[in-house]
Amino acid sequence: MDTLLRGTEQAAVTPFSWEAPVLYYPVRHHSPACAWHLERAIERYAPDCILVEGPENANDLLPVLTSPDTKAPIALYYAWRDEEQRLPGAGEEPASFRCYYPFLDPSPELVALRAAAARGIPGRFIDLPYAQILLATQADRGLRAEEEKPNYASDSYLAANQFQKNLCEKAGLRDFEEFWEKYFETAGPILSTEAFVRQLNLYCRLARQSTPEAELRADGCLVREAHMARRIREAAAEYSRVLVVTGGFHVEGLLHPTDETPPPPPQKGQAVYPMRHSLPAADALAGYASGMPAPGFCTDIWAALHTAEPRQAWEQTVLDYLVRTGRRLRREGDTLSAYDETCAWQQARMLAQLRDKPAPGLYELRDAVLSSFVKGEADLSGSEPLRLLRELTTGKTVGWLCEGAPVPPLVQDFQAQCRAFRLKQQGAARQTVALSVFSSPRHREISRFFYRTDFLGCEFARREKGPDLRRRKDRNLIRETWEYRWSIGVETALIEHAVSGATVQEACASELRRRMAEAGRASEGADLLVQGFLMGLPEISTLTGRMEELLLADGDFVSLCEACASLNALQEWQSLYNEPNILEYPALLGRCFARILQMLPAMNTVDDHTAPGVQRACMLLYQITGRESFSGQRPPLLNAFERLVRQDPIHPALHGAVLGLLYGADPGWKPAVDRAVRGYLQGTRGRMLQSAAFLQGLFSTARDLLLTDEEFQRQIDGLICELPSEDFASLLPELRLAFSYFVPLETDRIARRAAAMHGAGSAALRRPATDAAAYARAEAVDAWAAARLDDFTGQGGEDT
């Protein structure tokens, strides 16, 4: 490390003295080496108070984090609902924010807090409360960045800067993680604590120097450091020896803070809860910004450092993972041998020597598995040995909170409803429940509860069977069958939504309004109304205005038709579900219908991909106008259909479907249908090749033309018979598709007529069944041929 940083003057190195009244200890989050040296620093320095980087509005929860009954991985969940709308750009609905602060056993912050509790000295967080950090951060920066699960602690300043990239290039290393493992994790424990801290401070100081101050201000770093520096001064005035445990990047900022003033704290809307966490969620490769790769491996290294010498700890852990990976591979049917494992172990040690590392680490472990366990071509995502190694080094451990830990109201409401509905909340087995949603009010309430948990993404319940209102399927079913199972993911998802409401219903209503505000198409808005209906949310009555906006702004014909189908299903099914008419379905459906009629005549130029959707839309509109409440819309619809079929060009399948609908409304359109059929089958070759698509569309809406009108079938038959053989062969696949709209009984009826037209009896349509003797002879011949083929290939037939 010293050779990499030649030219750095010693005077520029951050001071670290055991005699200092305030000792600054730099860390990287979840680093076993940092935590291992921190234990020794605490023992030698013997502080009177330990201060830890972390939002201070969680200080009341420190007894939960440090309880002997609390088992890592755990996390703090911070949430803030901007009810005062202090952040610019907030809409009508208050913006909601959340983040996580995870802790593993090798997390230096948790090690420090546990040590303070064990020594009986004060330990506390000193960073700004979460909401004030957000208020001090610019949009799309820091904790306000658009991430799925933002984390409080981030190593981006250490890992993603030009200085780090140049350093890795100079050292010949692949990335920051390999650099960190070589110079801090494997080498760190064999250094003295002073040397380790000096080396880490030097790296962090140079990384900070390569980061523009404007970037630090935009991310809220400067105002946070100023606040933490004030808390450190307050502690130094009260205690004689203060240990400060903070991210290494912030040490310089704490020693030389700016005079930044934090924004005033919000009066309400903040919440913080402890929660169970898991090793997979803490994996850097899974997207966790401040995670170490392979958290299970890091946890095992942490445990080994307390039972063996540093070099032996790394060697024992790497060897253990090689053996475990080999065992898993053999259990799953691989032919891996003990010799392969021995070769992998030797290679890991030799790679460590070649790379000038005191012991093999995670990178040597991966390279050894790739070289010795993978047979043939491999890649990081598809190789089974690498996949198993990744799974093992990630780990599966889930944490546990001590009894008495505070629980968010949302989780309490979920638990209360599970008890009220007698739903099991523990156990790994899935439970099945059948609900008579149309006849039992209690079952309807359970169904609503299941739909609400599904809407929040809890993965608690899954509908297996029953009427599907969203997809407008299985209308003949009268029961819903659900499977449900409680897991840690259920609680995690509920805690994530705790900022949205105190009850499951409130959280769903808030989430529904948010998604409705973000919807960009009418189909999305209508689908959300359907989900609100299934969840039994009265709040959907307030979304009429937003739905009207989507209907007016959406120019996508298929989207409008999907919205129309959803609104139509809602109107039809509300009586079946015994639901009051809490939304103006007829009015919305009428507006949607009018928009579709306006656009319908221009749909003549749709392509093959879009045509089926437009066909279904035309059929839906026809069905809707068949209801008494919408019968007044039938004439305008037929008028739009007439204008559409007069367009030239027009997609043949759409042409046939609309002509069939016009014929269904008025049999006087039969001559027009006949002319169209002749035009396709007797026109130009290009027109003729479109005839199968036309018939497919026609039969989709007017099957009775072929079933009840023998003359029409005779006309079709005669036209098809006139086709040249090559043209008929090219049309045959699409003709098969066109006749697929008929059920077997109908196709048999059509076939009998066709046979009679050509002078053949119905007996010609029947194939004699194969008798048992003929079947046995055929099997014997097949076996004889297979044996002969084996003899041929065994004598080298493949090469001749």
Side-chain angles (χ1 to χ4, degrees), residues 559-588:
S559 172
L560 287 169
C561 291
E562 285 293 321
C564 186
S566 296
L567 294 172
N568 178 58
L570 280 172
Q571 185 174 2
E572 287 182 340
W573 286 30
Q574 58 184 340
S575 59
L576 295 175
Y577 279 93
N578 296 317
E579 296 286 346
N581 191 5
I582 58 176
L583 193 67
E584 298 179 11
Y585 299 122
L588 286 174

Side-chain angles (χ1 to χ4, degrees), residues 408-537:
L410 180 60
V411 178
Q412 295 179 24
D413 180 68
F414 171 84
Q415 295 171 347
Q417 293 197 56
C418 284
R419 289 192 296 270
F421 296 136
R422 298 178 182 177
L423 303 174
K424 295 182 179 180
Q425 299 182 57
Q426 298 292 345
R430 285 194 172 275
Q431 307 294 324
T432 302
V433 58
L435 303 175
S436 300
V437 291
F438 300 124
S439 58
S440 171
R442 174 181 169 80
H443 285 188
R444 176 70 178 115
E445 288 300 317
I446 298 175
S447 174
R448 286 174 170 176
F449 177 65
F450 283 155
Y451 276 116
R452 290 169 184 173
T453 61
D454 181 62
F455 188 69
L456 294 178
C458 297
E459 297 184 0
F460 172 66
R462 182 176 63 206
R463 188 181 59 80
E464 295 295 324
K465 298 179 183 178
D468 189 344
L469 182 55
R470 293 185 65 188
R471 295 172 179 81
R472 301 173 292 282
K473 294 170 57 180
D474 300 327
R475 299 189 181 193
N476 59 316
L477 301 179
I478 61 174
R479 287 187 176 185
E480 289 180 350
T481 302
W482 290 80
E483 283 191 354
Y484 72 91
R485 180 178 63 184
W486 187 93
S487 68
I488 184 61
V490 175
E491 184 174 318
T492 301
L494 289 170
I495 292 177
E496 288 181 8
H497 288 283
V499 69
S500 301
T503 67
V504 175
Q505 180 173 332
E506 288 179 8
C508 288
S510 177
E511 182 70 10
L512 180 66
R513 289 192 295 268
R514 183 189 67 80
R515 295 189 193 179
M516 196 71 175
E518 295 177 353
R521 295 198 177 277
S523 56
E524 298 175 37
D527 183 61
L528 288 169
L529 292 181
V530 171
Q531 294 183 68
F533 175 83
L534 293 171
M535 292 186 287
L537 300 180

Side-chain angles (χ1 to χ4, degrees), residues 735-752:
L735 285 171
R736 289 179 181 274
L737 179 63
F739 282 91
S740 66
Y741 289 98
F742 299 94
V743 298
L745 186 63
E746 293 171 340
T747 55
D748 186 62
R749 181 177 169 186
I750 295 170
R752 289 174 186 275

